[in-house]
Amino acid sequence: MPVPSHTLGVTKYQLLCVLIASISSLNFGWNFGVINLPGDVITKCIAGPKHTILGLPSCLPASNIVWGLVVGAFALGALVGAISCTRYANMYGRKAVLMYSNILAIVAAILFGVAVNIPMLAIARFLAGIAQGCANGTFTNYVVEITTPRARNTLGSMIQASISTGTMLAQLLSLRLSTPPLWRILFAITGVISLIHMAMLTMCVESPKWLVSKDRIDEARNALQKLRKSADCTEEFNTLVNTVRAEMGPSAYTASISDVIRGKTPDNLRHQLLLAILVMVFQQFSGIAGVSFYSTKLFGSITEPPTHYSTTPTLAQILTGTLSVVGTLVALTGLALAGYFGRRTLMLFSHTSMFVCSILIAVGSIMGYNIMAIVMVFVFFAVFIVGPGPLPWVIPGEMTPIYAVSATIAVSGSVAYTCLFTIGIVFSSLLDALKGYTFLLFAATNLIAAVTLFFLLPETKDRRVSDMIQTHSVGVHNIMQQKYRSGVYVEKEKSIL
Protein backbone atom coordinates (compact mmCIF):
# COMPACT_ATOMS: atom_id res chain seq x y z
CA MET A 1 0.00 0.00 0.00
CA PRO A 2 1.45 3.41 -1.01
CA VAL A 3 2.56 5.64 1.87
CA PRO A 4 1.00 9.11 2.28
CA SER A 5 3.07 11.53 0.19
CA HIS A 6 3.45 14.20 2.87
CA THR A 7 5.46 11.76 5.03
CA LEU A 8 8.17 11.28 2.42
CA GLY A 9 11.72 12.51 2.76
CA VAL A 10 13.88 13.45 -0.21
CA THR A 11 12.85 11.67 -3.44
CA LYS A 12 15.14 11.44 -6.45
CA TYR A 13 13.02 13.76 -8.59
CA GLN A 14 12.63 16.33 -5.81
CA LEU A 15 16.41 16.31 -5.44
CA LEU A 16 16.90 16.63 -9.21
CA CYS A 17 14.55 19.63 -9.46
CA VAL A 18 16.18 21.37 -6.49
CA LEU A 19 19.69 20.73 -7.83
CA ILE A 20 18.80 22.09 -11.27
CA ALA A 21 16.99 25.12 -9.84
CA SER A 22 19.96 25.76 -7.54
CA ILE A 23 22.18 26.48 -10.56
CA SER A 24 20.77 30.02 -10.26
CA SER A 25 22.33 30.26 -6.80
CA LEU A 26 25.55 28.72 -8.11
CA ASN A 27 25.63 31.52 -10.68
CA PHE A 28 25.03 34.02 -7.88
CA GLY A 29 28.04 32.57 -6.04
CA TRP A 30 30.09 32.74 -9.24
CA ASN A 31 29.45 36.46 -9.65
CA PHE A 32 29.98 36.94 -5.92
CA GLY A 33 33.43 35.34 -5.95
CA VAL A 34 34.75 36.09 -9.43
CA ILE A 35 35.52 39.71 -8.58
CA ASN A 36 37.99 38.85 -5.82
CA LEU A 37 41.30 37.75 -7.33
CA PRO A 38 41.54 39.76 -10.60
CA GLY A 39 40.78 43.13 -8.95
CA ASP A 40 44.34 44.51 -8.91
CA VAL A 41 45.07 43.11 -12.39
CA ILE A 42 42.11 45.03 -13.78
CA THR A 43 42.28 48.28 -11.81
CA LYS A 44 46.01 48.70 -11.09
CA CYS A 45 47.44 47.13 -14.25
CA ILE A 46 49.92 45.10 -12.18
CA ALA A 47 50.35 42.58 -15.03
CA GLY A 48 52.00 45.28 -17.14
CA PRO A 49 51.30 48.70 -18.70
CA LYS A 50 47.88 49.13 -20.24
CA HIS A 51 47.77 47.90 -23.85
CA THR A 52 45.23 46.50 -26.28
CA ILE A 53 44.60 42.81 -27.03
CA LEU A 54 42.35 42.15 -30.03
CA GLY A 55 41.26 45.79 -29.78
CA LEU A 56 40.31 45.56 -26.10
CA PRO A 57 42.24 47.14 -23.20
CA SER A 58 44.26 44.77 -21.01
CA CYS A 59 43.19 46.59 -17.85
CA LEU A 60 40.77 49.32 -16.73
CA PRO A 61 42.46 51.63 -14.18
CA ALA A 62 40.26 52.71 -11.26
CA SER A 63 40.52 53.86 -7.64
CA ASN A 64 39.45 51.71 -4.69
CA ILE A 65 36.20 53.66 -4.36
CA VAL A 66 35.33 53.32 -8.06
CA TRP A 67 36.21 49.61 -8.01
CA GLY A 68 34.03 49.31 -4.91
CA LEU A 69 31.13 50.66 -7.00
CA VAL A 70 31.80 47.99 -9.62
CA VAL A 71 31.86 45.32 -6.92
CA GLY A 72 28.69 46.72 -5.35
CA ALA A 73 26.86 47.08 -8.69
CA PHE A 74 26.08 43.36 -8.55
CA ALA A 75 24.34 43.78 -5.19
CA LEU A 76 22.48 46.85 -6.46
CA GLY A 77 21.23 44.86 -9.45
CA ALA A 78 20.24 42.00 -7.14
CA LEU A 79 18.21 44.51 -5.12
CA VAL A 80 16.32 45.56 -8.25
CA GLY A 81 15.81 41.93 -9.23
CA ALA A 82 14.49 40.92 -5.81
CA ILE A 83 11.94 43.75 -5.78
CA SER A 84 10.78 43.49 -9.39
CA CYS A 85 10.50 39.73 -9.84
CA THR A 86 7.96 39.00 -7.11
CA ARG A 87 5.01 39.95 -9.32
CA TYR A 88 6.41 38.05 -12.32
CA ALA A 89 6.91 34.89 -10.26
CA ASN A 90 3.27 35.15 -9.18
CA MET A 91 2.04 35.90 -12.69
CA TYR A 92 4.11 33.54 -14.85
CA GLY A 93 5.36 30.88 -12.46
CA ARG A 94 8.48 30.03 -10.50
CA LYS A 95 10.03 27.89 -13.21
CA ALA A 96 9.42 30.53 -15.90
CA VAL A 97 11.18 33.24 -13.89
CA LEU A 98 14.10 30.92 -13.12
CA MET A 99 14.32 30.17 -16.84
CA TYR A 100 14.12 33.63 -18.37
CA SER A 101 16.10 35.58 -15.77
CA ASN A 102 19.08 33.84 -17.37
CA ILE A 103 18.72 36.02 -20.46
CA LEU A 104 19.96 39.06 -18.56
CA ALA A 105 22.97 37.09 -17.32
CA ILE A 106 23.82 36.16 -20.92
CA VAL A 107 23.65 39.83 -21.95
CA ALA A 108 25.90 40.67 -18.98
CA ALA A 109 28.39 38.00 -20.10
CA ILE A 110 28.65 39.62 -23.54
CA LEU A 111 29.30 43.01 -21.94
CA PHE A 112 31.99 41.50 -19.72
CA GLY A 113 33.73 40.19 -22.80
CA VAL A 114 33.77 43.50 -24.70
CA ALA A 115 34.01 46.08 -21.86
CA VAL A 116 36.37 48.93 -22.77
CA ASN A 117 35.88 51.00 -19.62
CA ILE A 118 34.80 50.75 -15.99
CA PRO A 119 31.20 51.94 -16.61
CA MET A 120 30.63 49.03 -19.03
CA LEU A 121 31.97 46.62 -16.44
CA ALA A 122 29.70 48.13 -13.80
CA ILE A 123 26.65 47.87 -16.10
CA ALA A 124 27.47 44.21 -16.77
CA ARG A 125 27.72 43.55 -13.03
CA PHE A 126 24.41 45.37 -12.51
CA LEU A 127 22.61 43.26 -15.15
CA ALA A 128 24.08 40.05 -13.73
CA GLY A 129 22.85 41.19 -10.31
CA ILE A 130 19.29 41.72 -11.57
CA ALA A 131 19.29 38.21 -13.04
CA GLN A 132 20.63 36.54 -9.90
CA GLY A 133 18.59 38.62 -7.43
CA CYS A 134 15.46 37.70 -9.34
CA ALA A 135 16.37 34.02 -9.50
CA ASN A 136 17.59 33.71 -5.90
CA GLY A 137 14.30 34.79 -4.31
CA THR A 138 12.31 32.68 -6.76
CA PHE A 139 14.48 29.65 -6.06
CA THR A 140 13.68 29.91 -2.33
CA ASN A 141 9.94 29.86 -3.08
CA TYR A 142 10.32 27.01 -5.56
CA VAL A 143 12.13 24.78 -3.06
CA VAL A 144 9.55 25.41 -0.33
CA GLU A 145 6.68 24.69 -2.72
CA ILE A 146 7.92 21.43 -4.28
CA THR A 147 9.36 19.67 -1.21
CA THR A 148 7.78 17.75 1.66
CA PRO A 149 8.36 19.05 5.22
CA ARG A 150 11.00 16.38 5.88
CA ALA A 151 12.81 17.08 2.63
CA ARG A 152 12.64 20.82 3.24
CA ASN A 153 14.70 20.51 6.43
CA THR A 154 17.62 19.34 4.31
CA LEU A 155 17.06 20.88 0.88
CA GLY A 156 16.11 24.29 2.30
CA SER A 157 19.81 24.96 2.89
CA MET A 158 20.72 24.16 -0.72
CA ILE A 159 20.89 27.88 -1.52
CA GLN A 160 24.04 28.34 0.59
CA ALA A 161 25.63 25.12 -0.68
CA SER A 162 25.08 26.30 -4.26
CA ILE A 163 26.37 29.82 -3.60
CA SER A 164 29.46 28.38 -1.90
CA THR A 165 30.06 26.00 -4.81
CA GLY A 166 29.80 28.86 -7.31
CA THR A 167 32.18 31.00 -5.26
CA MET A 168 34.64 28.12 -4.99
CA LEU A 169 34.63 27.43 -8.74
CA ALA A 170 35.07 31.14 -9.51
CA GLN A 171 38.02 31.55 -7.16
CA LEU A 172 39.76 28.34 -8.20
CA LEU A 173 39.52 29.25 -11.89
CA SER A 174 40.60 32.79 -11.02
CA LEU A 175 43.99 31.41 -9.99
CA ARG A 176 44.67 30.75 -13.69
CA LEU A 177 42.33 33.16 -15.48
CA SER A 178 43.12 36.48 -13.75
CA THR A 179 45.67 37.63 -16.33
CA PRO A 180 44.88 39.82 -19.39
CA PRO A 181 42.82 39.05 -21.44
CA LEU A 182 41.65 35.89 -19.64
CA TRP A 183 39.88 37.84 -16.92
CA ARG A 184 37.23 38.71 -19.52
CA ILE A 185 36.56 35.01 -20.13
CA LEU A 186 36.46 34.46 -16.38
CA PHE A 187 33.73 37.08 -15.95
CA ALA A 188 31.80 35.91 -19.03
CA ILE A 189 31.46 32.31 -17.80
CA THR A 190 28.30 33.47 -16.02
CA GLY A 191 26.63 33.36 -19.44
CA VAL A 192 27.72 29.76 -20.01
CA ILE A 193 26.26 28.77 -16.63
CA SER A 194 23.00 30.49 -17.62
CA LEU A 195 22.76 28.61 -20.92
CA ILE A 196 23.28 25.29 -19.11
CA HIS A 197 20.66 26.30 -16.55
CA MET A 198 18.06 27.12 -19.20
CA ALA A 199 18.59 23.79 -20.92
CA MET A 200 18.36 21.75 -17.72
CA LEU A 201 15.26 23.54 -16.38
CA THR A 202 13.23 21.87 -19.13
CA MET A 203 13.52 18.68 -17.05
CA CYS A 204 11.78 20.25 -14.02
CA VAL A 205 8.08 20.65 -13.22
CA GLU A 206 6.40 23.90 -12.31
CA SER A 207 5.47 24.47 -8.67
CA PRO A 208 2.24 22.55 -7.91
CA LYS A 209 1.17 25.35 -5.56
CA TRP A 210 1.49 27.94 -8.30
CA LEU A 211 -0.37 25.71 -10.78
CA VAL A 212 -3.27 25.32 -8.31
CA SER A 213 -3.33 29.09 -7.78
CA LYS A 214 -3.91 29.46 -11.53
CA ASP A 215 -6.61 26.75 -11.43
CA ARG A 216 -4.51 24.36 -13.54
CA ILE A 217 -5.57 21.44 -11.37
CA ASP A 218 -4.66 18.50 -13.62
CA GLU A 219 -1.18 19.89 -14.26
CA ALA A 220 -0.72 20.46 -10.53
CA ARG A 221 -1.77 16.89 -9.70
CA ASN A 222 0.62 15.46 -12.29
CA ALA A 223 3.48 17.65 -11.08
CA LEU A 224 2.92 16.67 -7.44
CA GLN A 225 2.72 12.97 -8.31
CA LYS A 226 5.98 13.19 -10.23
CA LEU A 227 7.64 14.90 -7.26
CA ARG A 228 6.30 12.31 -4.80
CA LYS A 229 7.29 9.21 -6.79
CA SER A 230 4.78 6.35 -6.19
CA ALA A 231 3.34 7.66 -2.91
CA ASP A 232 -0.36 8.34 -2.38
CA CYS A 233 -0.84 12.07 -3.05
CA THR A 234 -4.59 12.20 -2.40
CA GLU A 235 -4.49 13.72 1.09
CA GLU A 236 -1.62 16.10 0.34
CA PHE A 237 -3.15 17.25 -2.92
CA ASN A 238 -6.60 17.90 -1.42
CA THR A 239 -5.02 19.86 1.43
CA LEU A 240 -2.90 21.77 -1.09
CA VAL A 241 -5.91 22.69 -3.22
CA ASN A 242 -7.99 23.83 -0.24
CA THR A 243 -5.15 25.84 1.27
CA VAL A 244 -3.98 27.45 -1.93
CA ARG A 245 -7.48 28.35 -3.12
CA ALA A 246 -8.06 30.06 0.19
CA GLU A 247 -4.75 31.92 0.23
CA MET A 248 -3.41 32.05 -3.33
CA GLY A 249 -6.32 31.50 -5.70
CA PRO A 250 -7.32 33.88 -8.52
CA SER A 251 -9.78 35.73 -6.26
CA ALA A 252 -7.67 35.47 -3.11
CA TYR A 253 -5.71 38.26 -1.50
CA THR A 254 -1.99 38.53 -2.26
CA ALA A 255 -0.03 41.02 -0.19
CA SER A 256 2.07 43.59 -2.00
CA ILE A 257 5.41 44.83 -0.69
CA SER A 258 3.65 48.04 0.35
CA ASP A 259 0.98 46.10 2.26
CA VAL A 260 3.59 44.15 4.21
CA ILE A 261 5.68 47.22 5.05
CA ARG A 262 2.66 49.29 6.12
CA GLY A 263 1.11 46.42 8.10
CA LYS A 264 -2.01 46.30 5.90
CA THR A 265 -2.37 42.51 5.99
CA PRO A 266 -5.09 40.28 7.52
CA ASP A 267 -2.57 38.94 10.04
CA ASN A 268 -0.30 41.11 12.16
CA LEU A 269 3.05 40.27 10.54
CA ARG A 270 5.18 42.94 12.21
CA HIS A 271 7.24 40.37 14.08
CA GLN A 272 7.82 38.25 10.97
CA LEU A 273 8.80 41.29 8.90
CA LEU A 274 11.16 42.68 11.54
CA LEU A 275 12.77 39.28 11.97
CA ALA A 276 13.14 38.76 8.20
CA ILE A 277 14.88 42.14 7.92
CA LEU A 278 17.10 41.71 10.97
CA VAL A 279 18.45 38.28 10.01
CA MET A 280 19.46 39.70 6.63
CA VAL A 281 21.08 42.79 8.16
CA PHE A 282 23.00 40.61 10.60
CA GLN A 283 23.95 38.26 7.77
CA GLN A 284 25.59 40.98 5.70
CA PHE A 285 27.08 43.09 8.51
CA SER A 286 28.52 40.01 10.21
CA GLY A 287 31.65 40.62 8.11
CA ILE A 288 31.09 37.83 5.62
CA ALA A 289 30.61 40.13 2.63
CA GLY A 290 34.00 41.71 3.21
CA VAL A 291 35.64 38.29 3.53
CA SER A 292 33.96 37.06 0.33
CA PHE A 293 34.65 40.13 -1.82
CA TYR A 294 38.10 41.00 -0.51
CA SER A 295 39.55 37.82 1.02
CA THR A 296 42.65 38.13 -1.18
CA LYS A 297 43.26 41.65 0.12
CA LEU A 298 42.43 40.55 3.65
CA PHE A 299 44.89 37.64 3.54
CA GLY A 300 47.40 39.95 1.85
CA SER A 301 47.19 42.30 4.82
CA ILE A 302 47.99 39.38 7.15
CA THR A 303 50.68 37.61 5.10
CA GLU A 304 53.87 38.91 3.52
CA PRO A 305 52.91 40.81 0.33
CA PRO A 306 54.67 39.88 -2.95
CA THR A 307 57.39 42.25 -4.17
CA HIS A 308 56.47 41.92 -7.86
CA TYR A 309 53.68 40.58 -10.09
CA SER A 310 53.82 36.91 -11.04
CA THR A 311 51.43 34.53 -12.78
CA THR A 312 52.21 32.08 -9.97
CA PRO A 313 49.47 32.40 -7.32
CA THR A 314 50.51 34.26 -4.18
CA LEU A 315 49.99 32.85 -0.69
CA ALA A 316 47.03 35.21 -0.25
CA GLN A 317 45.44 33.93 -3.48
CA ILE A 318 46.05 30.29 -2.51
CA LEU A 319 44.47 30.93 0.89
CA THR A 320 41.48 32.54 -0.83
CA GLY A 321 41.02 29.50 -3.07
CA THR A 322 41.39 27.17 -0.10
CA LEU A 323 38.84 29.21 1.85
CA SER A 324 36.27 28.74 -0.92
CA VAL A 325 36.89 24.97 -0.97
CA VAL A 326 36.47 24.75 2.80
CA GLY A 327 33.32 26.86 2.53
CA THR A 328 31.80 24.48 0.00
CA LEU A 329 32.61 21.40 2.08
CA VAL A 330 31.11 23.02 5.19
CA ALA A 331 28.01 24.08 3.20
CA LEU A 332 27.44 20.48 2.12
CA THR A 333 27.88 19.34 5.72
CA GLY A 334 25.49 22.09 6.72
CA LEU A 335 22.71 20.38 4.75
CA ALA A 336 22.84 17.57 7.30
CA LEU A 337 23.12 19.94 10.27
CA ALA A 338 20.08 21.92 9.09
CA GLY A 339 18.08 18.70 9.07
CA TYR A 340 19.08 17.88 12.65
CA PHE A 341 19.56 21.07 14.66
CA GLY A 342 16.97 23.81 15.00
CA ARG A 343 17.18 27.05 13.04
CA ARG A 344 17.34 29.08 16.25
CA THR A 345 20.13 26.93 17.67
CA LEU A 346 22.27 27.24 14.54
CA MET A 347 21.74 31.00 14.25
CA LEU A 348 22.68 31.66 17.89
CA PHE A 349 25.65 29.29 17.73
CA SER A 350 26.96 30.88 14.51
CA HIS A 351 26.69 34.52 15.55
CA THR A 352 28.22 33.79 18.97
CA SER A 353 31.09 31.90 17.34
CA MET A 354 31.60 34.67 14.77
CA PHE A 355 31.78 37.21 17.62
CA VAL A 356 34.65 35.22 19.17
CA CYS A 357 36.35 34.67 15.79
CA SER A 358 36.17 38.38 14.93
CA ILE A 359 37.96 39.31 18.15
CA LEU A 360 40.66 36.69 17.53
CA ILE A 361 41.13 37.81 13.90
CA ALA A 362 41.60 41.38 15.12
CA VAL A 363 44.01 40.35 17.89
CA GLY A 364 46.00 38.15 15.51
CA SER A 365 46.25 40.89 12.89
CA ILE A 366 47.20 43.62 15.36
CA MET A 367 49.69 41.55 17.38
CA GLY A 368 51.25 39.85 14.38
CA TYR A 369 49.93 36.36 15.19
CA ASN A 370 49.33 35.68 11.50
CA ILE A 371 48.63 31.98 11.74
CA MET A 372 45.97 32.54 14.40
CA ALA A 373 44.34 35.28 12.30
CA ILE A 374 44.29 33.08 9.18
CA VAL A 375 42.87 30.08 11.04
CA MET A 376 40.16 32.25 12.59
CA VAL A 377 39.15 33.59 9.16
CA PHE A 378 38.56 29.98 8.10
CA VAL A 379 36.58 29.20 11.25
CA PHE A 380 34.60 32.45 10.85
CA PHE A 381 33.69 31.48 7.28
CA ALA A 382 32.73 27.94 8.28
CA VAL A 383 30.39 28.84 11.14
CA PHE A 384 28.71 31.49 8.97
CA ILE A 385 27.84 28.90 6.35
CA VAL A 386 25.94 26.61 8.73
CA GLY A 387 23.76 29.38 10.16
CA PRO A 388 23.46 32.98 8.89
CA GLY A 389 24.39 31.86 5.36
CA PRO A 390 21.33 29.82 4.33
CA LEU A 391 18.81 30.26 7.15
CA PRO A 392 17.78 33.93 6.64
CA TRP A 393 16.42 32.86 3.25
CA VAL A 394 14.44 29.99 4.79
CA ILE A 395 13.03 31.47 8.01
CA PRO A 396 10.52 33.98 6.47
CA GLY A 397 8.80 31.21 4.49
CA GLU A 398 8.38 29.15 7.68
CA MET A 399 6.61 31.89 9.66
CA THR A 400 4.61 33.80 7.07
CA PRO A 401 1.23 33.10 5.40
CA ILE A 402 1.37 32.08 1.73
CA TYR A 403 -0.23 35.35 0.66
CA ALA A 404 2.66 37.37 2.13
CA VAL A 405 5.67 35.09 1.59
CA SER A 406 6.80 36.54 -1.76
CA ALA A 407 6.49 40.14 -0.55
CA THR A 408 8.28 39.42 2.74
CA ILE A 409 11.15 37.64 0.99
CA ALA A 410 11.36 40.52 -1.50
CA VAL A 411 11.68 43.04 1.35
CA SER A 412 14.27 41.00 3.27
CA GLY A 413 16.20 40.23 0.08
CA SER A 414 16.22 43.92 -0.81
CA VAL A 415 17.64 44.75 2.61
CA ALA A 416 20.31 42.08 2.17
CA TYR A 417 21.40 43.40 -1.22
CA THR A 418 21.43 47.01 0.02
CA CYS A 419 23.75 45.97 2.86
CA LEU A 420 25.85 43.94 0.41
CA PHE A 421 26.17 46.96 -1.88
CA THR A 422 27.28 49.12 1.05
CA ILE A 423 29.89 46.61 2.22
CA GLY A 424 31.16 46.13 -1.33
CA ILE A 425 31.86 49.85 -1.58
CA VAL A 426 33.34 50.57 1.84
CA PHE A 427 35.14 47.41 2.98
CA SER A 428 38.32 47.90 0.96
CA SER A 429 38.75 51.48 2.21
CA LEU A 430 37.75 50.37 5.72
CA LEU A 431 40.45 47.69 5.71
CA ASP A 432 43.02 50.25 4.47
CA ALA A 433 42.07 52.68 7.24
CA LEU A 434 41.51 50.37 10.22
CA LYS A 435 43.66 47.40 9.21
CA GLY A 436 43.55 44.78 11.96
CA TYR A 437 40.95 46.70 13.96
CA THR A 438 38.33 46.24 11.21
CA PHE A 439 37.01 42.99 12.64
CA LEU A 440 36.31 44.57 16.02
CA LEU A 441 33.38 46.28 14.27
CA PHE A 442 32.12 42.89 13.10
CA ALA A 443 32.59 41.47 16.60
CA ALA A 444 30.16 44.12 17.83
CA THR A 445 27.56 43.39 15.14
CA ASN A 446 27.71 39.64 15.79
CA LEU A 447 27.27 40.16 19.52
CA ILE A 448 24.26 42.40 18.88
CA ALA A 449 22.89 39.75 16.50
CA ALA A 450 23.21 36.93 19.03
CA VAL A 451 21.51 38.92 21.80
CA THR A 452 18.72 40.25 19.57
CA LEU A 453 17.88 36.89 18.01
CA PHE A 454 17.86 35.22 21.44
CA PHE A 455 14.78 37.31 22.27
CA LEU A 456 13.12 37.49 18.82
CA LEU A 457 13.82 34.28 16.88
CA PRO A 458 11.54 31.30 17.60
CA GLU A 459 12.30 27.77 16.44
CA THR A 460 10.68 27.10 13.04
CA LYS A 461 12.11 23.68 12.20
CA ASP A 462 9.45 20.93 11.98
CA ARG A 463 6.67 23.35 12.93
CA ARG A 464 3.59 23.91 10.82
CA VAL A 465 3.40 27.34 9.22
CA SER A 466 -0.19 27.68 10.45
CA ASP A 467 0.97 27.16 14.06
CA MET A 468 3.77 29.71 13.67
CA ILE A 469 1.34 32.26 12.22
CA GLN A 470 -1.20 31.70 15.00
CA THR A 471 1.42 32.04 17.73
CA HIS A 472 3.56 34.89 16.44
CA SER A 473 1.20 37.13 14.45
CA VAL A 474 0.70 39.40 17.46
CA GLY A 475 3.12 42.20 16.70
CA VAL A 476 6.73 42.40 17.82
CA HIS A 477 7.21 40.40 21.01
CA ASN A 478 9.76 38.70 23.23
CA ILE A 479 9.57 35.00 22.35
CA MET A 480 11.15 34.07 25.70
CA GLN A 481 7.88 34.93 27.47
CA GLN A 482 6.19 31.79 28.77
CA LYS A 483 3.02 32.17 26.66
CA TYR A 484 5.11 31.85 23.49
CA ARG A 485 6.98 28.79 24.80
CA SER A 486 4.21 26.79 26.43
CA GLY A 487 2.24 23.80 25.18
CA VAL A 488 2.96 22.62 21.66
CA TYR A 489 5.21 25.64 21.10
CA VAL A 490 7.86 24.77 23.69
CA GLU A 491 11.28 25.07 22.15
CA LYS A 492 12.92 21.63 22.19
CA GLU A 493 16.28 22.76 20.94
CA LYS A 494 19.25 20.45 20.68
CA SER A 495 21.69 22.93 22.13
CA ILE A 496 25.23 22.96 20.78
CA LEU A 497 26.21 26.18 22.47
Side-chain angles (χ1 to χ4, degrees):
M1 182 177 179
V3 298
S5 60
H6 68 274
T7 65
L8 292 176
V10 179
T11 65
K12 291 181 180 178
Y13 189 66
Q14 275 186 83
L15 179 60
L16 176 67
C17 288
V18 171
L19 286 174
I20 291 174
S22 72
I23 294 175
S24 62
S25 294
L26 184 146
N27 211 351
F28 183 98
W30 179 274
N31 284 284
F32 197 68
V34 78
I35 204 78
N36 197 330
L37 267 64
D40 285 349
V41 173
I42 297 171
T43 62
K44 297 180 180 177
C45 301
I46 63 173
K50 183 176 179 180
H51 58 282
T52 59
I53 304 173
L54 299 177
L56 297 171
S58 61
C59 55
L60 305 171
S63 66
N64 281 346
I65 293 296
V66 172
W67 183 242
L69 290 170
V70 175
V71 172
F74 177 73
L76 192 61
L79 167 64
V80 174
I83 294 174
S84 61
C85 275
T86 301
R87 59 178 296 193
Y88 297 115
N90 289 336
M91 288 171 59
Y92 302 114
R94 318 314 192 200
K95 178 182 171 181
V97 169
L98 287 171
M99 174 80 74
Y100 295 112
S101 61
N102 284 303
I103 293 174
L104 276 178
I106 294 169
V107 173
I110 295 171
L111 281 177
F112 282 134
V114 301
V116 296
N117 52 45
I118 285 292
M120 285 184 70
L121 208 59
I123 291 171
R125 290 274 295 171
F126 180 75
L127 292 177
I130 294 176
Q132 305 317 319
C134 183
N136 236 21
T138 305
F139 169 66
T140 303
N141 275 352
Y142 184 72
V143 172
V144 169
E145 292 175 3
I146 70 169
T147 54
T148 61
R150 284 179 57 200
R152 197 174 306 136
N153 286 336
T154 300
L155 298 180
S157 296
M158 186 64 75
I159 186 170
Q160 185 60 49
S162 300
I163 290 173
S164 296
T165 301
T167 302
M168 177 191 71
L169 294 174
Q171 294 187 345
L172 291 180
L173 284 178
S174 293
L175 293 174
R176 289 299 179 189
L177 298 180
S178 292
T179 56
L182 298 182
W183 61 263
R184 295 178 180 277
I185 297 174
L186 183 69
F187 280 37
I189 288 175
T190 185
V192 177
I193 297 172
S194 293
L195 287 171
I196 294 171
H197 192 208
M198 292 181 77
M200 295 189 72
L201 275 170
T202 58
M203 298 176 356
C204 300
V205 295
E206 180 56 90
S207 159
K209 282 190 177 181
W210 181 82
L211 290 169
V212 170
S213 76
K214 298 302 178 184
D215 213 26
R216 292 159 61 175
I217 303 301
D218 290 338
E219 291 179 66
R221 183 183 292 106
N222 292 336
L224 186 65
Q225 188 64 66
K226 195 171 182 179
L227 288 163
R228 302 298 185 259
K229 201 177 177 182
S230 57
D232 181 4
C233 294
T234 304
E235 181 183 349
E236 183 183 5
F237 186 71
N238 289 338
T239 301
L240 174 66
V241 170
N242 293 334
T243 302
V244 172
R245 281 182 170 169
E247 296 187 356
M248 280 181 70
S251 60
Y253 168 70
T254 300
S256 66
I257 292 175
S258 175
D259 290 338
V260 170
I261 292 174
R262 293 185 298 129
K264 303 296 184 180
T265 53
D267 298 287
N268 186 338
L269 303 179
R270 291 293 189 188
H271 190 88
Q272 288 91 326
L273 179 62
L274 176 64
L275 194 57
I277 290 172
L278 284 178
V279 291
M280 286 300 190
V281 170
F282 294 145
Q283 180 196 65
Q284 296 303 325
F285 284 110
S286 67
I288 196 64
V291 171
S292 299
F293 279 147
Y294 297 106
S295 55
T296 303
K297 184 169 184 174
L298 175 62
F299 284 131
S301 69
I302 298 172
T303 61
E304 190 72 27
T307 56
H308 62 280
Y309 173 76
S310 172
T311 55
T312 302
T314 65
L315 177 58
Q317 291 172 333
I318 292 172
L319 286 171
T320 295
T322 305
L323 182 67
S324 66
V325 173
V326 170
T328 301
L329 294 176
V330 173
L332 294 174
T333 304
L335 293 175
L337 292 176
Y340 183 73
F341 293 106
R343 318 293 196 222
R344 173 181 163 87
T345 301
L346 288 176
M347 289 291 285
L348 294 179
F349 166 75
S350 293
H351 278 299
T352 302
S353 300
M354 291 164 74
F355 161 68
V356 175
C357 288
S358 296
I359 292 177
L360 294 177
I361 291 170
V363 170
S365 300
I366 295 165
M367 302 298 293
Y369 303 144
N370 293 347
I371 293 178
M372 183 179 79
I374 290 170
V375 170
M376 285 301 105
V377 170
F378 276 81
V379 177
F380 179 95
F381 198 64
V383 294
F384 169 85
I385 285 173
V386 300
L391 297 183
W393 299 98
V394 176
I395 289 169
E398 296 179 333
M399 293 186 64
T400 310
I402 292 175
Y403 67 78
V405 168
S406 293
T408 303
I409 290 176
V411 172
S412 63
S414 300
V415 170
Y417 298 132
T418 301
C419 296
L420 187 61
F421 174 71
T422 304
I423 291 291
I425 291 176
V426 305
F427 185 83
S428 181
S429 299
L430 195 67
L431 190 60
D432 286 340
L434 298 180
K435 295 183 170 49
Y437 293 93
T438 303
F439 271 81
L440 291 179
L441 296 177
F442 298 133
T445 57
N446 281 296
L447 179 60
I448 292 169
V451 173
T452 303
L453 295 181
F454 180 81
F455 292 105
L456 293 182
L457 178 62
E459 184 53 75
T460 62
K461 177 182 173 290
D462 291 336
R463 283 155 174 77
R464 292 179 298 179
V465 174
S466 57
D467 289 342
M468 297 301 295
I469 296 168
Q470 179 183 354
T471 305
H472 298 289
S473 296
V474 293
V476 179
H477 57 279
N478 175 6
I479 62 101
M480 299 305 294
Q481 294 178 27
Q482 186 61 35
K483 63 181 176 180
Y484 299 116
R485 296 175 60 83
S486 60
V488 296
Y489 307 113
V490 171
E491 308 290 350
K492 297 178 180 179
E493 300 167 11
K494 304 177 181 70
S495 179
I496 56 174
L497 292 175

